[in-house]
Amino acid sequence: MTGLGAVFRPQLAPERLRSVARLADSAGLEELWLWEDCFREGGVSTAAAALAWTERLRIGVGLLPVPLRNVAITAMEAASLHRMFPDRPILAVGHGVQDWMGQVGARVESPVTLLREHLDVLRALLRGERVTVEGRYVKLDDVALDWPPAQPVPVLAGATGPRSLRLAGEAADGTLLTASTSPEGVRRARQLIAEGQESAGRAPDPDSPHQVVVYLLTATGPDGPARIKAELEAEGLGSVPDLGVAGDAGTVAKAVQRLADAGADTVVLQPTGDEPDPEAFVRFAAEEVRPLVP
């Protein structure tokens, strides 16, 4: 079955999260995703609150920018969330927006090298291993978690370019793709992820397959097409075909299915930044779109 989720955009004030998360939980939506966008809302703090306010909803953070975070802190926070709320947090790590990383003095010369080192060490720490490493960016001396997760924890990598997508296949348990990814882009991502898995000698595991999550820019209502167009143009994506969807539940479900047919395991509906009613958007996803997605 194709997973379905929705995004709580950080353009909304943090105090709006409680009502949206509780509605998503009660309406039966599988996943609610949060962003750690500079300089809006912290990913781990909002995820912890949303997990505490809900009972069954999975909460994704897509994504935690690795230049901002010491890997030991990321591991401690991930382990704490997974021990308190087993199987419900979903954490993705990635490069972050390079201009924002520059603003805070965290931009690195080789983002791919940093992400590789971060992924390798993060996954080792979450497995309960004791790590000493002297990498280009990641340096740990005899570090282990006192409270590692009780069960294996998948770590997703946010990726867009070919090198990062291959790295996701080599070193991550899943991949998060942005709303700038068309169905053809998902197919290409799957190919590059598989190349990375092969180069690292990671045979596909049927019991724990590499999960691909993709955002889908979505709008409803009579002004939906205009809002989609405006946001894509603002992102410099106005001329890219097959991005975003505006319309009723049937139209959105067909767009979800196209991404699923291309290789997405989970599609997360991403409202526009000016979505006028986030609660209604979540209800639309859970009660109208979900029944139409196999």
Side-chain angles (χ1 to χ4, degrees), residues 32 34 43 46 50 73 107 113 118-120 141 148 173 178 180 185 248 250 252 257 263 273:
L32 184 69
L34 314 173
T46 50
I73 295 295
R107 190 167 186 166
T113 299
H118 196 104
L119 282 167
D120 288 345
D141 180 12
D173 303 297
T178 71
S180 64
D248 61 12
V252 174
Q257 192 59 51

Side-chain angles (χ1 to χ4, degrees), residues 130-169:
R130 184 170 297 277
V131 178
T132 295
V133 63
E134 185 71 23
R136 180 174 176 182
Y137 299 109
V138 176
K139 306 175 191 297
L140 296 183
D141 180 12
D142 194 34
V143 174
L145 298 177
D146 281 14
W147 296 102
Q151 302 294 332
V153 171
V155 175
L156 279 62
T160 53
R163 292 180 64 201
S164 297
L165 286 164
R166 290 190 184 95
L167 173 59

Side-chain angles (χ1 to χ4, degrees), residues 4 18 29 48 50 62 66 78 83 102 112 129 143 201 207 221 224 243 271 284:
L4 190 72
R18 184 173 184 171
L29 192 66
V66 298
R83 290 187 71 104
V112 172
E129 298 177 14
V143 174
D207 295 324
L243 296 184
F284 168 78

